[in-house]
Amino acid sequence: MEYPLIAPRPPRLSEQKEGLERIEASGQFSNNGPEVRALEAEMVAQLFDGRGAALAVGNATLGLMIAIRQAAGMHPAPGTLALMPAMTFAATAQAAIWAGLTPLIVDVDPQTWAADPAEEERMLALHGSRIGVIVPYATFGAVIDLDRYAWLARRHEVGIVIDAAASLGTLDQGGRGFGTGAPFALVYSMHATKTFSVGEGGLIYSGDADRIDQLRAMTNFGFESGRNATLPGINAKMPEVLALMARSKLAELDSICAARAAMDREYRDALTGLSCQRVDAMRQATQFMPVLLPAELAPRRAAIVSALAADGVGAGQYFSPHLGEQTLFRDTALIEPTPVADDVSARMLSLPITDAMGPGDATIIAGRVMAAIARVATQYGPVSASGDAVQGCVMIGGGPAGTAVLTAASKQGLLERLAGDGLVMVERSARLGPGALGDYAIRSDTTAETFLSAVRDNPYPELAALESHPAGQMMARHCGALGAPLSETAPLLTVTAQRLRDIITAHGGDVLTDTEALSAQQTEEGYWRTTIAGPGGQRSLTSRSLVLATGGYQSDEQIAESMVAGARLGALAGDRLMRSDALLRRGGVEQVAARLADRRAPRAVIVGASTSALASAVQLLKCHDLPWGAGAITLMVRTLPKPFFPSVEAAEAEGFTDFTPDDVCPVSGFVLRLAGLRLESRELVMRMLALGGRTPDPRVTLHRIAGDDDPEARRIIAQADLVVGALGYRPHGLPLFDTNGQPIALAYRAGRPMVDRHCRILDDRDRPVPNAYGIGLSAGFVPWGRLGGEKSFQGQANGLWLWQNDVGQMIVEQLLGQGTQGWSSAAA
């Protein structure tokens, strides 16, 4: 037997001869005629205990538009917000936009899938009176707490409109029709696909009859009396023929809802291993059966739907994509982090509940669902000994380095293949892309052109289009400048990551935000089992490969324990010590100004010669609140900082000769390609070295540490009011365990590079850990072979361009089983 997902069964017009003749005889086919008035009265009497009033409308979207407009104050100011959950139909946000409001989209509760109450209240506290209306959705016909919304309306003086599209026939805990007596408007749908199946049509109900009277005028062009428009209005009236059909449907609604409730119970008993929505209603008007696939099967949903179709079962995925993932709303709405909705939407599977089904059919469908899941799990990938589906790769970290791997794959046209192989990206924060870059107050040491190169001429049109996106245009304004403000790099990185995510999820991959990886353990089969914790609790993912793009960090302890001039920096500096990472973040310079406010002639020491050290000096020099005098800022280094040059000729033209042939990259011809400082940091070094006719800044001086016995270095630190430690970053990493559950000792924990020349994670004996790769800040990668770089370079290379190109490509090729042969043959 075939089971379509939706099988509309509206009343047959052919059986409504008497009613149609009655309409013809009345001569009134619209404009609140007798059939519409009769329907409204019958609805209030049968569904809402005779309390309040109802208004029939042409469709539920029209009903939402006028109800939202009324609740927001008739003439909302530009920028007024309509607060709504991510898990609802597009019509909700569309109605808000047509009413002149901006949707504000928030996350949902993991059990009910309705708006998260804590998020709603957080938004009310954050935006205050700018929120004109809250538009909760009674998800899939569920019951939500209307008393709470009445309280919110009073407390915050905010309008409320309940999107109850699927709820005609739902009974609350007291056995009354959902919405009975509510002081605000509830909007219900009579679309052919709903339990209350008519064809089109909608109903607005409120316990406040005066509210309905005003809404009735708004449905009739805003005419409160005569032909004088006094209110914002449109034509939203229900035709008489639709009202006739709706009256017929109302007569059979109780029996329909009871039969569907029985199917819901049957499904719940038969669907083992699948999560269902929590039901708080006495009876829910069930349109279809929504269930969640196990998280590890989310990337295989499309295949499961296809397998069910082959077995005669129609299946859908309401609502996937959710509002926050849809293009229009991402461009026009305010979207808060939605990790729960992301997870629910990715796992949602909608199963048939139709009027054509009978007892036992839900059990049959459930059996076909479980069989389809088993077939897909076998067909599309191995299953581990624990029964988990095996993904191709679990990538930990969705910041600049992690998304750079995806960018590298996109540039090679391999992103679809990588996703289809079973890619799962795990990101601890609520969004992909910028990581913490937007938290920094400095300019990038990467050019704006490099940021744009991720999307420019990309093989994927949706990525290439970002060059003309507002975020791309913002970045383009900084082309040719000394980097871009890091705060302005975040929008482009964010929207690029969103498009990458769309491509991944559309081709079988998955992205889990607001989810933290806790550890990973090798299995007997040679896989990695990664334990993660997210909105749905703690669980594990099994994969062939593991990529750590977890970034780096500085700690006060790390900086304090660093040896400088034969002593620990913490012992030399005491409470005057500050991490460069803290100084470079937003508010860092203000902290320094506050600490040194009582110093007439403040003195600062920056220990280190890295980009962070020079950027710290640049930030201090920009702080005009502090009276830096001559020699007030000392850059204390072991190795003299040097600038980057695009060629030997360019270096010589600027008067820079402190380099040898080993400092020239054999691939690009750049001088000090890896070790040389760039952009703002380079400009400061050029001034310090008086190159190209530049005049040194008298406020900055240089001290080169003379080994462990350097009393002058210790004296300079002792006399400083501020000591900034710019001594590098350490990898965040991830605890890795062997098959016996014992920790794997890793090289980076002993202070050595995290990865080898192929980006493979190294153990404490510098051996590659099988199928584990690393990339990003402090990973310790050193370019080689065709990647270029000067022979003299000592240290590690961190650069967005490298990550988005050769380094990312190297990892992608290994994940897809292409090995490292092409790279090995390119070794210098």
Side-chain angles (χ1 to χ4, degrees):
M1 181 174 176
E2 299 284 325
Y3 296 99
L5 175 62
I6 302 292
R9 188 176 282 184
R12 294 176 178 271
L13 273 175
S14 59
E15 298 175 357
Q16 305 295 321
K17 182 179 179 181
E18 181 180 340
L20 291 171
E21 290 175 346
R22 189 167 63 241
I23 292 172
E24 289 180 349
S26 74
Q28 189 167 358
F29 300 93
S30 185
N31 289 0
N32 298 303
E35 295 297 328
V36 166
R37 291 289 192 167
L39 170 66
E40 293 169 349
E42 290 165 3
M43 286 282 197
V44 172
Q46 295 184 38
L47 299 183
F48 304 111
D49 287 349
R51 299 169 58 187
L55 169 63
V57 289
N59 60 60
T61 304
L62 289 169
L64 283 170
M65 287 166 60
I66 62 170
I68 289 171
R69 185 65 180 264
Q70 182 201 52
M74 290 296 185
H75 302 288
T80 298
L81 302 175
L83 176 60
M84 63 188 65
M87 288 291 294
T88 186
F89 190 53
T92 314
Q94 292 278 23
I97 291 172
W98 280 105
L101 279 67
T102 298
L104 171 59
I105 299 169
V106 297
D107 210 358
V108 298
D109 179 89
Q111 302 299 318
T112 65
W113 309 335
D116 182 343
E119 282 297 288
E120 289 178 322
E121 293 182 35
R122 185 173 71 86
M123 290 298 98
L124 287 166
L126 178 64
H127 295 287
S129 61
R130 190 183 171 196
I131 297 177
V133 62
I134 308 175
V135 192
Y137 173 51
T139 313
F140 303 140
V143 162
I144 58 177
D145 188 349
L146 300 185
D147 290 337
R148 174 179 167 273
Y149 284 107
W151 173 77
L152 286 177
R154 294 191 300 270
R155 179 175 181 180
H156 296 278
E157 297 183 346
V158 64
I160 305 288
V161 174
I162 306 295
D163 180 352
S167 297
L168 275 177
T170 290
L171 302 181
D172 64 19
Q173 295 93 330
R176 302 168 303 178
F178 174 64
T180 299
F184 33 71
L186 293 94
V187 182
Y188 307 83
S189 174
M190 303 178 193
H191 191 269
T193 59
K194 296 293 189 288
T195 300
F196 197 103
S197 174
V198 172
E200 269 296 359
L203 187 81
I204 307 176
Y205 167 80
S206 177
D208 181 352
D210 291 339
R211 182 182 298 277
I212 294 298
D213 286 343
Q214 189 176 60
L215 287 168
R216 189 179 302 280
M218 294 176 71
T219 67
N220 188 33
F221 309 102
F223 297 151
E224 289 183 283
S225 62
R227 292 287 174 173
N228 177 33
T230 57
L231 301 171
I234 54 175
N235 181 8
K237 299 183 294 292
M238 174 180 278
E240 288 287 273
V241 171
L242 280 182
L244 174 67
M245 296 174 67
R247 293 181 68 191
S248 175
K249 196 68 180 181
L250 180 60
E252 59 182 11
L253 182 61
D254 276 337
S255 61
I256 291 172
C257 289
R260 289 180 174 233
M263 295 177 215
D264 181 289
R265 291 191 295 270
E266 196 174 312
Y267 266 125
R268 290 173 186 267
D269 290 340
L271 290 168
T272 57
L274 304 184
S275 302
C276 300
Q277 181 187 25
R278 191 183 79 202
V279 174
D280 297 323
M282 177 178 288
R283 182 186 72 192
Q284 188 160 322
T286 309
Q287 181 182 1
F288 45 75
M289 185 65 193
V291 297
L292 298 187
L293 293 168
E296 63 272 13
L297 290 175
R300 311 299 189 207
R301 180 174 59 183
I304 292 170
V305 170
S306 296
L308 284 171
D311 284 348
V313 176
Q317 49 193 51
Y318 295 91
F319 297 105
S320 180
H322 64 66
L323 288 187
E325 296 172 325
Q326 295 179 35
T327 302
L328 172 66
F329 309 124
R330 289 204 301 204
D331 291 341
T332 58
L334 297 182
I335 304 174
E336 288 295 304
T338 56
V340 177
D342 295 347
D343 178 63
V344 171
S345 174
R347 297 164 56 196
M348 183 66 72
L349 191 67
S350 308
L351 302 175
I353 288 184
T354 69
D355 297 340
M357 291 169 56
D361 283 338
T363 301
I364 293 171
I365 295 171
R368 295 183 188 180
V369 169
M370 303 313 293
I373 288 173
R375 287 201 309 275
V376 167
T378 301
Q379 177 183 357
Y380 282 84
V383 176
S384 69
S386 63
D388 296 333
V390 178
Q391 311 296 335
C393 171
V394 170
M395 184 177 295
I396 312 299
T403 53
V405 176
L406 307 183
T407 298
S410 74
K411 289 186 172 186
Q412 299 298 316
L414 295 173
L415 190 54
E416 294 177 20
R417 182 177 168 189
L418 187 65
D421 190 51
L423 171 68
V424 181
M425 175 171 274
V426 178
E427 166 56 32
R428 65 188 302 179
S429 69
R431 65 174 181 174
L432 301 181
L437 286 187
D439 297 336
Y440 287 88
I442 59 175
R443 298 181 78 88
S444 66
D445 62 350
T446 298
T447 65
E449 289 86 346
T450 294
F451 283 100
L452 288 170
S453 70
V455 298
R456 181 174 291 145
D457 300 324
N458 194 286
Y460 292 87
E462 55 267 63
L463 291 172
L466 292 179
E467 187 173 4
S468 57
H469 185 277
Q473 294 174 347
M474 178 188 295
M475 185 58 56
R477 292 201 299 267
H478 300 290
C479 288
L482 295 178
L486 284 180
S487 60
E488 295 191 19
T489 67
L492 180 58
L493 291 172
T494 298
V495 71
T496 301
Q498 289 172 345
R499 301 286 170 92
L500 289 167
R501 175 181 185 159
D502 290 345
I503 297 169
I504 290 168
T505 55
H507 292 90
D510 199 7
V511 176
L512 307 177
T513 52
D514 211 33
T515 301
E516 185 160 8
L518 305 179
S519 64
Q521 181 176 353
Q522 294 172 321
T523 70
E524 294 289 350
E525 307 102 313
Y527 304 137
W528 285 102
R529 182 174 297 114
T530 305
T531 301
I532 61 173
Q538 187 169 306
R539 58 190 176 92
S540 64
L541 299 170
T542 302
S543 62
R544 296 193 306 274
S545 302
L546 187 69
V547 175
L548 301 187
T550 46
Y553 71 99
Q554 276 186 354
S555 69
D556 292 332
E557 180 183 11
Q558 167 202 350
I559 299 301
E561 290 297 310
S562 298
M563 299 299 293
V564 176
R568 288 182 173 81
L569 186 56
L572 294 173
D575 60 6
R576 295 168 294 130
L577 184 59
M578 183 180 196
R579 289 178 287 113
S580 62
D581 187 69
L583 169 60
L584 299 177
R585 289 178 182 264
R586 287 184 291 181
V589 170
E590 290 76 9
Q591 291 180 35
V592 170
R595 289 172 64 171
L596 304 183
D598 60 346
R599 304 294 197 275
R600 282 191 168 188
R603 304 188 70 83
V605 174
I606 301 169
V607 182
S610 63
T611 297
S612 295
L614 273 297
S616 296
V618 171
Q619 286 299 94
L620 292 180
L621 291 171
K622 288 179 179 179
C623 183
H624 302 299
D625 292 336
L626 290 169
W628 301 116
I633 300 174
T634 300
L635 190 66
M636 189 170 289
V637 302
R638 293 187 179 91
T639 303
L640 292 177
K642 296 180 181 180
F644 158 84
F645 291 95
S647 67
V648 170
E649 294 75 18
E652 292 174 343
E654 294 275 16
F656 182 71
T657 58
D658 187 14
F659 64 94
T660 71
D662 285 349
D663 294 321
V664 180
C665 171
V667 174
S668 64
F670 295 165
V671 178
L672 296 165
R673 175 184 175 185
L674 303 177
L677 292 157
R678 300 184 182 227
L679 302 176
E680 275 198 316
S681 296
R682 176 184 185 272
E683 184 60 25
L684 180 56
V685 171
M686 293 285 284
R687 292 181 65 188
M688 291 171 66
L689 299 178
L691 295 172
R694 293 170 177 81
T695 301
D697 191 318
R699 297 171 295 174
V700 182
T701 187
L702 190 68
H703 178 83
R704 187 171 186 179
I705 301 171
D708 290 341
D709 185 16
D710 187 344
E712 179 63 11
R714 293 194 290 271
R715 183 192 66 79
I716 293 171
I717 292 173
Q719 293 181 352
D721 300 300
L722 175 72
V723 179
V724 179
L727 297 166
Y729 289 78
R730 292 181 178 177
H732 276 296
L734 184 75
L736 302 182
F737 298 87
D738 64 18
T739 54
N740 297 317
Q742 296 301 308
I744 299 174
L746 299 173
Y748 78 86
R749 296 191 182 278
R752 300 198 301 280
M754 180 184 186
V755 301
D756 67 4
R757 55 171 30 192
H758 298 294
C759 295
R760 299 175 297 192
I761 292 176
L762 298 171
D763 67 15
D764 64 343
R765 296 173 64 182
D766 291 326
R767 299 172 302 184
V769 177
N771 301 316
Y773 307 92
I775 186 175
L777 184 65
S778 74
F781 178 80
V782 179
W784 59 283
R786 77 185 198 206
L787 278 69
E790 61 269 28
K791 183 178 179 180
S792 62
F793 180 68
Q794 300 291 323
Q796 59 178 319
N798 297 308
L800 192 63
W801 190 91
L802 279 172
W803 298 343
Q804 292 178 344
N805 291 278
D806 291 329
V807 175
Q809 181 185 342
M810 180 188 296
I811 291 177
V812 170
E813 290 175 358
Q814 293 176 88
L815 295 178
L816 295 178
Q818 298 176 14
T820 61
Q821 291 83 0
W823 295 92
S824 298
S825 63

